[in-house]
């Protein structure tokens, strides 16, 4: 399954917002600048996250984005779903009922390819739903303990 780069951008932005904390909102342009990304496209991803309740937006000159929930209450699936949508990745169109090899009557039972694809997608969704932003945050802090301080410093230098 291929996801848009907006998922990566959204996840990194949420992680940075977790380190910045809830005391201040961060403008989308500043989040984009941190990674050298297009500000308009970053804002689009952040707006999708806001519509899904992952972040909230504060308007005005001191406005920007903050996490809407604690990092332990935001799953990776929340972010993926906000950016990519919640539609199923695989859509069975019953092609087994078409063409010269198709049976005369409707095929018996469920399409086995559809079932296999649904099981795989469910496992993928469960895995992303089991990992929180807090889990990723803790891993980064363990592997690169200087990162939170570096992020906070950079965003404080607005």
């Amino acid at each position: 399954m291929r996801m848009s780069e907006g998922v990566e951008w959204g996840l990194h932005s949420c992680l940075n917002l977790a380190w910045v904390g809830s005391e201040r909102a961060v403008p989308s342009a500043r989040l984009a600048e941190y990674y050298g990304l297009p500000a308009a496209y970053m804002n689009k991803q952040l707006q999708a996250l806001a519509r899904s309740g992952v972040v909230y937006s504060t308007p005005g000159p001191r406005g920007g984005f903050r996490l809407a929930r604690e990092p332990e209450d935001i799953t990776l699936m929340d972010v993926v779903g906000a950016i990519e949508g919640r539609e199923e990745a695989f859509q069975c169109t019953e092609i087994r009922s078409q063409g010269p090899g198709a049976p005369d009557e409707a095929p018996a039972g469920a399409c086995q390819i559809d079932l296999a694809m649904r099981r795989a997608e469910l496992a993928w969704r469960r895995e992303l739903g089991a990992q929180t932003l807090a889990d990723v945050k803790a891993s980064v802090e363990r592997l690169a303990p200087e990162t939170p301080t570096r992020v906070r410093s950079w965003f404080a230098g607005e």
Side-chain angles (χ1 to χ4, degrees), residues 70-108:
E70 294 299 318
E72 52 274 357
D73 296 327
I74 299 171
T75 69
L76 300 186
M77 191 64 225
D78 291 334
V79 175
V80 170
I83 306 275
E84 294 291 313
R86 302 268 178 198
E87 298 81 31
E88 295 175 347
F90 181 79
Q91 298 295 317
C92 181
T93 60
E94 282 294 332
I95 66 167
R96 65 188 179 144
S97 299
Q98 302 168 20
D104 293 334
E105 298 177 16

Side-chain angles (χ1 to χ4, degrees), residues 6 45 71 74 82-83 94-96 113-114 123 128 137 152:
Q45 308 316 309
I74 299 171
I83 306 275
E94 282 294 332
I95 66 167
R96 65 188 179 144
I113 290 174
D114 184 41
L128 290 175
K137 182 176 172 282
R152 279 190 292 274

Side-chain angles (χ1 to χ4, degrees), residues 6-150:
V7 171
E8 179 183 12
W9 298 6
L11 287 165
H12 279 284
S13 292
C14 286
L15 193 55
N16 287 342
L17 291 173
W19 283 318
V20 168
S22 61
E23 62 275 358
R24 51 190 290 240
V26 179
S28 62
R30 189 74 171 150
L31 286 163
E33 182 184 359
Y34 189 77
Y35 293 108
L37 301 171
Y41 191 59
M42 174 62 84
N43 190 58
K44 179 181 171 185
Q45 308 316 309
L46 291 164
Q47 290 298 329
L49 291 168
R51 283 189 300 277
S52 292
V54 174
V55 300
Y56 64 86
S57 174
T58 305
R62 292 216 166 277
F65 292 88
R66 293 183 175 115
L67 289 181
R69 301 182 297 227
E70 294 299 318
E72 52 274 357
D73 296 327
I74 299 171
T75 69
L76 300 186
M77 191 64 225
D78 291 334
V79 175
V80 170
I83 306 275
E84 294 291 313
R86 302 268 178 198
E87 298 81 31
E88 295 175 347
F90 181 79
Q91 298 295 317
C92 181
T93 60
E94 282 294 332
I95 66 167
R96 65 188 179 144
S97 299
Q98 302 168 20
D104 293 334
E105 298 177 16
C111 174
Q112 295 304 298
I113 290 174
D114 184 41
L115 290 175
M117 296 301 282
R118 288 180 188 277
R119 279 192 305 272
E121 184 172 347
L122 182 58
W124 175 78
R125 288 178 183 271
R126 281 185 180 152
E127 182 64 24
L128 290 175
Q131 295 180 62
T132 67
L133 190 59
D135 297 332
V136 174
K137 182 176 172 282
S139 291
V140 172
E141 290 169 357
R142 187 179 68 255
L143 296 169
E146 72 288 350
T147 300
T149 302
R150 191 174 66 241

